[in-house]
Amino acid sequence: MLYWSVIFLIIALVAAVFGFGGIAAASTGVAQILFVLFIILFAITLVVRLLRGRP
């Protein structure tokens, strides 16, 4: 998921350089949503891992 977040961020930057404001805004929004989702899933995984302990 972090990969897709970076891809959408790059698309947003390229679109902004060429002056496509709508595409840049949409890509930036998608990248932000994916990044936040990635962070939330990482935190959940980390907490579950700490609660389970090592096998």
Side-chain angles (χ1 to χ4, degrees), residues 4-9 11 13 20 22-25 27-28 33 37 39-42 44 47 49-51 53:
W4 285 108
S5 183
V6 171
I7 292 295
F8 277 108
L9 180 62
I11 291 172
L13 291 174
F20 298 111
I23 295 172
S27 295
T28 304
I33 290 169
L37 186 62
I39 294 298
I40 290 170
L41 289 174
F42 175 73
I44 290 171
V47 168
R49 174 80 176 180
L50 288 174
L51 291 176

Side-chain angles (χ1 to χ4, degrees), residues 2-3 5 7-9 11 14 16-18 20 25 27 31-32 34 38 45-55:
L2 187 58
Y3 172 77
S5 183
I7 292 295
F8 277 108
L9 180 62
I11 291 172
V14 170
V17 166
F18 289 118
F20 298 111
S27 295
Q32 288 176 344
L34 288 175
F38 171 75
T45 304
L46 187 65
V47 168
V48 168
R49 174 80 176 180
L50 288 174
L51 291 176
R52 255 173 106 192
R54 293 189 175 177

